[in-house]
Amino acid sequence: MLSGMSKGSPGPTPGFLVWRLANKWRVAVDRAVAPLGLTHAQYSLVASLYGMQRAGERPSQRRLADHTGLEALYVSKLARTLESAGLIERARDPRDPRAVQLALTEQGLDVTRHAIDVVHDLLRQLLEPLGGLDAPRTRAFSDELTTLLDAPLAPPVPNDERTKGTSP
């Protein structure tokens, strides 16, 4: 299924298109934020942290992992790299000594604000074919993506009644 085609379907599957769009976006964001010394993954972490900090929150690494959809170990690795770069501070949570709280430094705030502007311009370009950021098609597209993101997705369970008699 390398081409993303499924049996009996004339074109790419929705899964293949989602994968292609996700890759296209990741590569574009990587290129856009590289001059600021960030990768796409680092950007998603600092931008999320920025939004949470503005809301008065000082999130733990675990909370940030849940928010971004990234693995907790990966968030920990990204946080250490960003801390070395002087963009974030990591501190023990006084209420839970096992938890690590994250906060943007002044430099981190500056870089993140700039990166958010750059990525916002990129988003405007991406959504232009749908009519732009505030277009009804864009809102509908966002609603559909949210529906898919909220749907549970787990591999099939072996010997599950629903999958009996179907070939793998």
Side-chain angles (χ1 to χ4, degrees):
M1 295 276 185
L2 285 178
S3 69
M5 303 293 180
S6 68
K7 290 179 280 200
S9 112
T13 64
F16 182 69
L17 294 172
V18 165
W19 178 72
R20 288 283 314 272
L21 184 59
N23 279 319
K24 175 182 177 171
W25 180 248
R26 184 186 49 76
V27 167
V29 172
D30 264 336
R31 284 189 189 131
V33 299
L36 299 170
L38 295 173
T39 64
H40 179 270
Q42 291 170 338
Y43 168 76
S44 56
L45 197 139
V46 294
S48 296
L49 192 49
Y50 180 78
M52 292 169 147
Q53 232 171 276
R54 287 187 64 195
E57 199 180 334
R58 192 181 170 110
S60 66
Q61 286 184 171
R62 159 63 59 195
R63 167 100 175 80
L64 206 54
D66 292 344
H67 179 81
T68 57
L70 297 170
E71 293 290 330
L73 275 172
Y74 189 42
V75 167
S76 175
K77 183 178 166 217
L78 289 171
R80 278 196 296 275
T81 302
L82 291 163
E83 182 183 37
S84 300
L87 301 184
I88 68 169
E89 295 167 338
R90 297 164 73 239
R92 291 276 161 214
D93 184 336
R95 292 156 307 173
D96 180 358
R98 294 164 305 160
V100 176
Q101 288 181 326
L102 303 176
L104 290 164
T105 61
E106 281 305 313
Q107 183 192 352
L109 284 166
D110 288 344
V111 169
T112 301
R113 281 188 201 107
H114 194 88
I116 287 170
D117 289 343
V118 166
V119 173
H120 195 73
D121 288 344
L122 203 55
L123 187 60
R124 234 192 306 277
Q125 275 181 58
L126 177 75
L127 296 171
E128 198 52 48
L130 298 182
L133 274 170
D134 300 318
R137 280 181 71 192
T138 298
R139 279 194 295 279
F141 179 60
S142 294
D143 290 346
E144 298 288 16
L145 290 172
T146 301
T147 299
L148 295 177
L149 282 168
D150 289 346
L153 197 60
V157 180
N159 300 323
D160 187 333
E161 286 305 314
R162 290 166 299 179
T163 57
K164 271 210 174 111
T166 59
S167 56

